[in-house]
Amino acid sequence: MLFRARSGAEILEKIDVNEEDAFRKYPEINHVLAIVKTGNDYLLGYHKWRSDWETFGGRLEKGESLRKCIRRECKEELGICGADFEYLGVVHYYMPPDYWVKDWHEEFGGLYGITLPEDALRTIEENRCDKEEIGRIELYSVLKKHKENIDEINERLLRFY
């Protein structure tokens, strides 16, 4: 185990597996996440349904590749297209019940990193589509300064990029 949050959620391991082999070796992968850097800071989104600040991403759709999913999710949540995502591996979690799964469960997710220019925040705010789920975006340093509630698992994921 690499990390345990106060909620009991755990990052069990980060698995270095080739992007093309990830699904074959870990067919349980059900989501992707993007760690977004801008300058020397990170960007997080406020997830309205969970009431905390998180990395960006979401569930895989049927037949969707990891890369196609991260591109779709970042277009919806960040309004960016054609970005150069860096594949970082697969993260293995032990997670508490949520609105998707009613019991404690293991999850696997593809992890990506992306670096955007420092002036990207304005463009993102103008172009992002999914404001129903991700209500606001903000820099990590600003959130820490204001003692905002940042999801512990997502905050720990920032260290992978």
Side-chain angles (χ1 to χ4, degrees), residues 4-160:
R4 177 178 287 138
R6 286 186 298 273
S7 68
E10 298 176 353
I11 297 175
L12 299 174
E13 61 185 327
K14 180 183 165 285
I15 305 163
D16 293 322
V17 59
N18 184 294
E19 184 176 14
E20 291 75 32
D21 294 334
F23 261 135
R24 185 175 52 75
K25 291 184 177 180
Y26 300 95
E28 308 93 334
I29 294 173
N30 65 358
H31 69 277
V32 295
L33 296 174
I35 301 168
V36 180
K37 275 187 185 177
T38 176
N40 293 323
D41 211 340
Y42 293 97
L43 187 63
L44 295 172
Y46 185 77
H47 194 287
K48 289 180 177 180
W49 306 334
R50 290 192 280 264
S51 300
D52 59 25
W53 292 90
E54 304 180 340
T55 55
F56 301 93
R59 293 259 188 230
L60 284 155
E61 294 180 354
K62 186 171 174 72
E64 194 173 44
S65 70
L66 297 178
R67 189 158 293 263
K68 186 173 182 182
C69 182
I70 199 61
R71 285 183 176 141
R72 176 183 52 77
E73 288 289 345
C74 284
K75 181 177 182 192
E76 293 170 4
E77 295 180 358
L78 294 167
I80 58 174
C81 298
D84 187 23
F85 294 94
E86 180 182 342
Y87 172 75
L88 303 173
V90 172
V91 180
H92 180 195
Y93 311 88
Y94 185 61
M95 300 297 287
D98 60 21
Y99 55 83
W100 295 103
V101 180
K102 301 302 178 205
D103 297 311
W104 281 86
H105 59 282
E106 289 184 55
E107 283 192 20
F108 291 82
L111 186 63
Y112 290 83
I114 181 172
T115 301
L116 301 173
E118 289 185 48
D119 63 353
L121 285 155
R122 191 161 141 285
T123 304
I124 288 170
E125 200 53 56
E126 291 170 359
N127 295 328
R128 65 191 189 95
C129 308
D130 190 357
K131 294 182 181 179
E132 290 295 314
E133 182 179 354
I134 305 301
R136 301 180 335 215
I137 57 170
E138 189 57 79
L139 294 172
Y140 177 75
S141 62
V142 173
L143 299 172
K144 290 301 275 186
K145 179 180 174 184
H146 294 289
K147 297 181 171 56
E148 291 281 343
N149 183 35
I150 301 171
D151 179 84
E152 289 178 292
I153 292 288
N154 283 271
E155 187 172 20
R156 183 65 178 222
L157 288 173
L158 299 179
R159 297 181 184 184
F160 291 131

